[in-house]
Amino acid sequence: MSILVTGAAGFIGAQLSKRLLEQGFEIIGIDNLNDYYDVKLKKARLTQLETQPHFRFIQLDLADRAGMAELFSQNKFQKVVNLAAQAGVRYSIENPYAYVDSNIVGFVNLLEGCRHHRIEHLVFASSSSVYGLNTKMPFSEHHNVDHPISLYAATKKANELMAHTYAHLYGLPTTGLRFFTVYGPWGRPDMAYFKFTQAILKDQPIQVYNHGKMQRDFTYIDDIIEGVIRILDRIPEPNLNWSNNSPDPSTSPAPYRLYNIGNNQPVELMYFIKTLEKALGKTAKMQMLPMQPGDVTATYADIKDLEREIAFQPRTTIEEGLAHFVDWYRNHYFVKK
């Protein structure tokens, strides 16, 4: 089976590609290798993949309509995993057009490729950020999510709507996964845990927003990858009990599903920092700051649907996960970057 993985040089994309290759799949990975964060790290992830005989990398931007059309016409993909996107909540306030180009225009190009080449299953990355102003915890896929508070979140909500439209019009089986704060080795340098580690090791202060009064549903990369692989085999079917009078946002009379994929264990930010300090063997210097525009105070994933569908069960504690990340950071990134 040939699978297209977009964002293959990214954190989740590279780890997913590695696992799929180990299972014997043919993987074509694409990425535009933009400089939103350290390109050397992206290339280091790719280096691990390019030694595998069943992996082929193509540098390509999702927003390149002709390039995407050619990609689909020259290859016979059975399934597609879309992990390419312009990431980052705060950066979406500074550079909104990057999000429109990648997350909206690029996603349409991908949907068109899937539509015209009869892809068996499209799995795409959404985000916990779509919950926006929602405060009912835990966040459920069955809740309405019409009030995003960042452009990044709005583009991810738009992806869900666009995917549903293609599932409805063309019968394209699509599954959206709302990721909750993925972390671990080979992670993204723009994420808080990565920035905190860098600063603490350099004896620099870390920026703690909302004066530390925040919670995040941190989800370890290995748990995420296991969930994605399992859901890739679970092709969605129409919900025959779906009601027009009381519509369920997570299902449809079309072959379409949405799932939260998180740890179901929110962690207080100050506990997170203490755990990181313990793993590093150093105390953090903290600069307490107010809440940043676009941020939310807490995330907490209801994962009952994913547990029921694929027996998804995160196994990595925050203590174990941060210890693994710190080991990787000391042995790889801190030395070789």
Side-chain angles (χ1 to χ4, degrees):
M1 179 179 290
S2 178
I3 300 175
L4 170 65
V5 177
T6 75
F11 175 31
I12 303 174
Q15 297 302 310
L16 176 65
S17 296
K18 182 180 178 183
R19 280 285 303 277
L20 290 172
L21 288 165
E22 289 170 355
Q23 294 185 3
F25 295 107
E26 299 263 350
I27 303 298
I28 291 181
I30 68 169
D31 202 293
N32 66 2
L33 297 178
N34 68 45
D35 61 359
Y36 170 65
Y37 66 79
D38 190 359
V39 177
K40 290 181 181 178
L41 177 58
K42 297 180 180 182
K43 290 183 176 179
R45 295 177 186 137
L46 281 177
T47 297
Q48 291 188 317
L49 299 174
E50 289 177 326
T51 60
Q52 303 298 315
H54 297 296
F55 179 80
R56 181 159 62 96
F57 175 69
I58 300 171
Q59 186 169 345
L60 178 63
D61 195 315
L62 287 185
D64 180 348
R65 185 191 300 183
M68 289 295 293
E70 184 178 4
L71 173 73
F72 275 92
S73 65
Q74 292 187 354
N75 298 277
K76 293 183 179 180
F77 306 119
Q78 279 76 49
K79 298 178 181 179
V80 174
V81 184
N82 180 46
L83 299 168
Q86 178 58 60
V89 169
R90 295 180 191 128
Y91 186 62
S92 68
I93 297 172
E94 301 169 22
N95 190 1
Y97 291 105
Y99 291 77
V100 174
D101 292 341
S102 179
N103 302 5
I104 302 296
V105 175
F107 195 62
V108 171
N109 291 339
L110 186 75
L111 287 170
E112 280 291 285
C114 292
R115 165 201 171 189
H116 289 293
H117 295 274
R118 300 188 178 279
I119 298 303
E120 294 176 10
H121 192 190
L122 166 63
V123 176
F124 67 95
S126 186
S127 167
S128 62
S129 67
V130 300
Y131 288 100
L133 291 177
N134 289 27
T135 56
K136 185 178 180 180
M137 298 286 178
F139 291 150
S140 170
E141 310 95 320
H142 304 285
H143 295 164
N144 180 281
V145 288
D146 283 339
H147 299 88
I149 58 173
S150 71
L151 184 63
Y152 170 69
T155 64
K156 287 298 184 178
K157 168 68 173 176
N159 285 172
E160 295 178 359
L161 297 173
M162 293 154 68
H164 178 266
T165 301
Y166 274 68
H168 171 74
L169 290 176
Y170 309 114
L172 172 65
T174 61
T175 300
L177 295 175
R178 292 174 176 169
F179 292 111
F180 280 70
T181 317
V182 187
Y183 76 103
W186 297 98
R188 280 172 35 201
D190 64 313
M191 298 293 285
Y193 70 94
F194 209 118
K195 289 181 176 180
F196 287 176
T197 299
Q198 287 177 315
I200 293 170
L201 287 175
K202 293 178 180 180
D203 292 315
Q204 297 173 348
I206 63 173
Q207 295 182 326
V208 182
Y209 293 107
N210 203 35
H211 305 282
K213 297 176 182 178
M214 301 178 77
Q215 290 183 326
R216 288 291 181 269
D217 199 332
F218 293 99
T219 317
Y220 190 66
I221 183 63
D222 290 0
D223 294 326
I224 286 287
I225 297 305
E226 181 63 31
V228 175
I229 287 176
R230 291 187 188 186
I231 208 66
L232 194 57
D233 287 333
R234 183 62 65 104
I235 297 176
E237 297 181 354
N239 178 2
L240 300 180
N241 296 316
W242 194 84
S243 169
N244 297 72
N245 293 323
S246 181
D248 174 7
S250 72
T251 67
S252 171
Y256 171 85
R257 284 302 306 264
L258 287 174
Y259 297 101
N260 288 334
I261 182 165
N263 197 42
N264 193 230
Q265 294 287 334
V267 175
E268 297 281 351
L269 179 57
M270 297 310 295
Y271 180 79
F272 175 85
I273 293 171
K274 288 180 181 179
T275 304
L276 184 58
E277 289 176 329
K278 184 176 180 180
L280 289 167
K282 295 192 70 173
T283 301
K285 301 173 183 177
M286 288 180 269
Q287 180 184 8
M288 296 298 185
L289 297 170
M291 185 69 117
Q292 290 292 288
D295 268 357
V296 296
T297 56
T299 61
Y300 179 6
D302 180 339
I303 59 171
K304 290 194 291 291
D305 283 5
L306 207 58
E307 288 175 340
R308 183 178 61 253
E309 289 295 324
I310 60 170
F312 176 72
Q313 187 174 10
R315 301 182 182 279
T316 310
T317 66
I318 194 68
E319 293 82 6
E320 294 168 332
L322 283 178
H324 292 325
F325 170 74
V326 167
D327 286 345
W328 169 82
Y329 186 89
R330 287 187 183 278
N331 295 324
H332 178 85
Y333 193 79
F334 190 63
V335 175
K336 298 179 182 179
K337 72 185 179 72

